[in-house]
Structure formats: C-alpha cells, structure tokens
C-alpha cells in the first residue's frame, strides 16, 4: 500500500491539524510501502505569501512532523520543490483536467474571495498540482482532512481520464479521512472548524502551546446554555470539548460523557485542558530540541527528496512516453 500526503508549510500547527492529519501520518508509517509525505512549498505560493519567511516555515513543519513521530527511515519526508517532477506533471495533467471542474472547487471559491490583490492562476491550478503530487508516486491512499475530499475526487477523475486517453499509466487513489479530526472546532466559535484563518488565536490550541496557554484558552472557551456535560446540537461548545478529550484519550465520546456527566462546565474544562496539555507536552519538547538544528532538518529533507525523486522520475518516464512528449524511447 503506497501512501502519499502533503502538508502546507504554515508556521504553527494546531490541534485540529494534529488530530486530523499529523496523527494519521505517523500511523501510516506502519502500513505504507512506503509512506511518502511532502511539505508543499509550491502550493504555498498560490496565495499572498512572504518569500523571506517560507524557508523557515518549511523547517517549522518538518520539525513538527518529526516531533510528532515521523521517522526518516520509516517514511519519505521531503520538500515538494526539491522534486521537479511535481511541476512537470502538473502541466501535463492540465491536458486531462476540465476547466469547469476547477471552477467548481470549494477551496478555490473560498480562497479567491479572501484574496485582496490578485487571484492567481496558481490558485486555480492548485488542485492539479495536488493531483500531480499524488499521481507521481502512483500512491493508493491519500490521508487528508475532510476539507480535501473534493480535491481527492478531482485527482481520481484526472487519473481516470489520463488512463483512458493515454493508456493505463497512473493509479487511481483513494482518500482516507479520519472520523474524529474533521470535528475539532474553534474554541471561540464552535460552529466553525479550528483553522489558522480564524480571526482570533484564542480559539486555537497550537501544538507548541505550553500548559498555561492551553489552560487559559480552554477556560475561556465558549460554552453553551445548560449545565450538563453531554453532546447535542444545542451544545456545540461542550460537544467540541468532549470530542477533543475523546480524541486525545483515544476512546469513544460516550465514554467521556459517562465519566464526566456529574461535573460542572468549569471543572470539565480543566480536565480537558490537563489532558490536552499532557498529550502535547512530549511533542512540544521534541519540537524544541529539533527545530534549532536547521542543518539536520535540511539533511533529512535532502535525503527524502532523493528517495522521492527515484520514484517520481520512473512514473514520469511512462507519462512522457504515453503522452508522446520528448524524444521517442529508443527501440
Ligand atoms: N491541499 C492540501 C491541504 O491543504 C495539502 C496537499 C498538497 C496535499 N498536496 C497534497 C494533501 C497531496 C494530500 C495529497 O491540506
């Protein structure tokens, strides 16, 4: 089973990223043959970004993934722009991508309304580059958050259309979406997902937050009317905290409800804060050790890129021949 996923080099990762994606990456190392993870700096250029800061964001994300438990000898971890096959395949896949499909992508619509200056063609092509990421490795499984469902559907269409047009060269991948991570919500507005585009930091728990910050954020988290610790549509705040505690402890939400049904909101929040802080503490500590050594991070990425390139360049030979690109293969 070949696994591929990409992660954006945004500065700080939050609890939703951790439970929804990063944890799946770590588990994937046992099943992946291999598990391949890319820090997608090329995707980061599709919206306004700071070129001076991007390299350090890549290191932040690399160190975070290693701190979470990725081991370079059990997976391939690399920086997307180090493997030029991604950009080449992106262009070639454009020939089997429907313009109308790209126009219908939710993320394109959402992000284009957020851009004040320029809605770049890169933002429009973002899903094609993402398809190239996965298809270059002929990966079978794509662990992603729920918000990426439509993009994986599109890459399946692209792979099918490619194979129909040029011959069976690409693997049609499947998504793998965790049940729990999709439901980690903002602490200040529990009707929306925890996300770095949220307006206030108070609503997010960052993986590198210390215990004090975590306790403070959970204490001031929005709760609901009523006083019982139970899930319900009328109780998005408490439901979110129950889901968070269930995810952190790796138990079912009903188990949490049973255990905490006699507690008041305030005491329940403290219990959740302590559990989350204890859960993240070892990751934060390892991150603190790994992040300063940029030479070591760079060496890890470089080695990952070599291994990634070996796989992607094989695929590209087949793609080029199938499409009639470049000099014909010698007979
Ligand atoms: N678009 C993904 C996200 O924002 C990141 C990504 C880029 C990705 N390329 C990928 C995810 C390939 C899975 C596979 O989360």
């Amino acid at each position: 089973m070949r696994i591929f996923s990409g992660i954006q080099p945004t500065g700080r990762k939050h609890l939703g990223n951790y439970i929804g994606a990063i944890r799946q990456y770590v588990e994937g190392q046992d099943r992946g043959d291999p598990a391949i993870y890319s820090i997608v700096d090329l995707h980061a250029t599709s919206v306004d970004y700071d070129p001076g800061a991007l390299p350090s964001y890549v290191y932040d994300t690399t160190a975070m993934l290693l701190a979470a438990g990725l081991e370079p000898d059990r997976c391939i971890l690399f920086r997307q722009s180090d493997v030029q096959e991604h950009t080449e395949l992106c262009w070639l896949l454009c020939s089997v991508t429907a313009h109308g499909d790209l126009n219908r992508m939710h993320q394109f619509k959402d992000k284009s309304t957020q851009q004040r200056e320029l809605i770049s063609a890169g933002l429009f092509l973002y899903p094609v580059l993402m398809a190239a990421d996965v298809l270059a490795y002929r990966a079978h499984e794509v662990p992603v958050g729920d918000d990426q469902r439509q993009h994986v559907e599109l890459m399946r269409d692209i792979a099918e259309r490619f194979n129909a047009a040029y011959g069976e060269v690409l693997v049609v991948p499947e998504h793998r979406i965790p049940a729990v991570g999709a439901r980690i919500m903002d602490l200040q507005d529990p009707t929306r997902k925890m996300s770095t585009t949220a307006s206030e930091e108070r609503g997010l728990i960052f993986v590198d937050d210390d215990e004090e910050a975590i306790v403070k954020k959970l204490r001031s988290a929005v709760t609901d009317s009523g006083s019982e610790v139970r899930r319900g549509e009328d109780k998005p705040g408490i439901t979110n905290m129950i889901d968070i505690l269930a995810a952190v402890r790796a138990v079912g939400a009903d188990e949490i409800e049973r255990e905490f049904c006699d507690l008041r909101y305030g005491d329940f929040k403290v219990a959740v804060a302590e559990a989350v802080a204890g859960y993240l503490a070892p990751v934060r500590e390892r991150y603190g050790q790994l992040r300063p050594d940029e030479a070591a991070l760079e060496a890890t990425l470089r080695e990952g890129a070599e291994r990634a390139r070996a796989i992607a360049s094989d695929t590209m030979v087949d793609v080029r021949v199938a499409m009639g690109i470049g000099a014909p293969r010698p007979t």
Side-chain angles (χ1 to χ4, degrees):
M1 165 79 65
R2 192 170 283 172
I3 297 175
F4 184 98
S5 192
I7 187 167
Q8 289 267 4
T10 45
R12 296 173 85 190
K13 296 295 172 191
H14 57 69
L15 189 64
N17 301 134
Y18 193 81
I19 290 171
I22 296 174
R23 224 165 51 161
Q24 273 54 241
Y25 286 13
V26 177
E27 285 163 20
Q29 294 180 113
D30 298 327
R31 287 180 304 111
D33 183 24
I36 308 167
Y37 303 118
S38 181
I39 298 164
V40 294
D41 57 342
L42 297 173
H43 278 105
T45 70
S46 64
V47 291
D48 278 342
Y49 77 105
D50 176 357
L54 185 55
S56 72
Y57 288 160
V58 171
Y59 291 143
D60 292 347
T61 304
T62 307
M64 183 55 70
L65 292 173
L66 295 171
L70 289 194
E71 295 172 23
D73 49 1
R74 292 171 66 216
C75 69
I76 297 178
L77 177 62
F78 73 105
R79 174 171 42 211
Q80 183 187 31
S81 61
D82 287 344
V83 179
Q84 296 186 352
E85 280 75 1
H86 293 242
T87 35
E88 183 186 356
L89 185 56
C90 175
W91 173 254
L92 295 177
L93 293 178
C94 283
S95 84
V96 283
T97 305
H99 182 278
D101 286 346
L102 293 179
N103 243 335
R104 275 189 290 278
M105 293 290 120
H106 306 307
Q107 189 169 298
F108 174 65
K109 290 192 220 166
D110 294 347
K111 286 195 181 172
S112 34
T113 56
Q114 288 160 19
Q115 291 303 301
R116 259 176 258 130
E117 302 264 318
L118 174 79
I119 300 169
S120 70
L123 189 60
F124 190 66
L125 287 177
Y126 181 113
V128 189
L129 180 60
M130 181 167 161
D133 292 342
V134 174
L135 301 180
Y137 299 90
R138 296 177 163 123
H140 306 100
E141 186 181 293
V142 188
V144 279
D146 189 52
D147 60 328
Q148 298 297 313
R149 189 184 290 270
Q150 198 187 26
H151 286 160
V152 179
E153 281 307 313
L154 180 75
M155 74 176 69
R156 289 171 55 84
D157 291 346
I158 291 175
E160 277 165 6
R161 204 173 293 121
F162 186 100
N163 288 346
Y166 304 117
E168 289 288 321
V169 170
L170 300 176
V171 169
V172 182
E174 314 243 351
H175 61 62
R176 183 183 175 93
I177 296 173
V180 186
R183 273 188 280 122
I184 305 295
M185 311 303 269
D186 188 288
L187 299 177
Q188 290 299 321
D189 177 2
T191 61
R192 52 182 283 178
K193 270 185 59 173
M194 190 176 283
S195 153
T196 16
T197 50
S199 45
E200 4 175 33
E201 279 206 356
R202 286 195 305 152
L204 299 147
I205 294 173
F206 292 105
V207 179
D208 60 339
D209 272 343
D210 60 17
E211 171 149 12
E212 199 185 308
I214 294 173
V215 170
K216 205 163 141 205
K217 286 176 183 174
L218 271 160
R219 265 228 185 95
S220 63
V222 168
T223 42
D224 320 292
S225 56
S227 59
E228 286 160 79
V229 175
R230 63 164 171 79
R231 285 173 299 166
E233 278 191 16
D234 54 331
K235 294 165 90 72
I238 289 293
T239 301
N240 186 32
M241 283 182 251
I242 291 173
D243 286 337
I244 288 174
L245 186 52
V248 162
R249 285 211 194 155
V251 298
D254 33 336
E255 195 169 310
I256 303 294
E257 283 177 320
R258 243 178 284 126
E259 182 177 337
F260 291 94
C261 62
D262 293 332
L263 282 199
R264 283 188 305 213
Y265 283 174
D267 297 329
F268 179 60
K269 284 174 162 182
V270 173
V272 177
E274 280 170 4
V276 171
Y279 179 67
L280 295 178
V283 183
R284 175 166 50 88
E285 275 164 33
R286 275 197 298 274
Y287 180 78
Q289 291 158 1
L290 294 165
R291 179 61 184 85
D293 193 348
E294 295 188 348
L297 296 172
E298 192 55 49
T300 300
L301 291 173
R302 196 179 322 114
E303 198 214 322
E306 269 166 40
R307 292 164 62 209
R309 202 177 296 119
I311 302 174
S313 59
D314 268 359
T315 309
M316 289 312 295
V317 170
D318 295 346
V319 165
R320 287 167 141 264
V321 169
M323 291 185 71
I325 297 299
R329 217 192 305 235
T331 44

